Amino acid sequence: MNQDWLTIEDDVLTKCSPEAEGEVVIPEGVRRIGGGAFNDCDKITSLIMPDGLRYVDHRAFWNHHRSYCPSLSTIHFPSNLLTTFFSSLECRMFMG
């Protein structure tokens, strides 16, 4: 895990570097994942979201080249997540 891969503004994760790979742990204090935050993050295999996360915005995981996240196989969602859009999870594992 490398926190340098993540851009966080206030309490919003706005960008994950395309260099991110393997397991990515979003730190506590992040309450929202912004739209497009994981655009082109093709090498992430696992994503752990903090318990304080409340919102995952539309197309947060959108990949404009393939419209899915080819390596992502595991996502840990916090139990108290308030809102996520199905379209925020355009990963093949969610597309049936």
Side-chain angles (χ1 to χ4, degrees), residues 26-45:
I26 299 171
E28 287 297 331
V30 172
R31 295 184 49 83
R32 178 182 297 270
I33 298 175
F38 286 89
N39 185 22
D40 295 330
C41 291
D42 295 341
K43 297 178 264 182
I44 294 173
T45 57

Side-chain angles (χ1 to χ4, degrees), residues 41-80:
C41 291
D42 295 341
K43 297 178 264 182
I44 294 173
T45 57
S46 177
L47 182 64
I48 300 179
M49 299 179 182
D51 289 334
L53 186 73
R54 296 293 181 263
Y55 307 97
V56 178
D57 288 350
H58 178 67
R59 293 192 169 177
F61 295 91
W62 177 254
N63 181 319
H64 67 271
H65 298 294
R66 288 172 294 285
S67 75
Y68 64 86
C69 309
S71 299
L72 188 59
S73 60
T74 304
I75 298 179
H76 165 76
F77 291 100
S79 60
N80 49 0

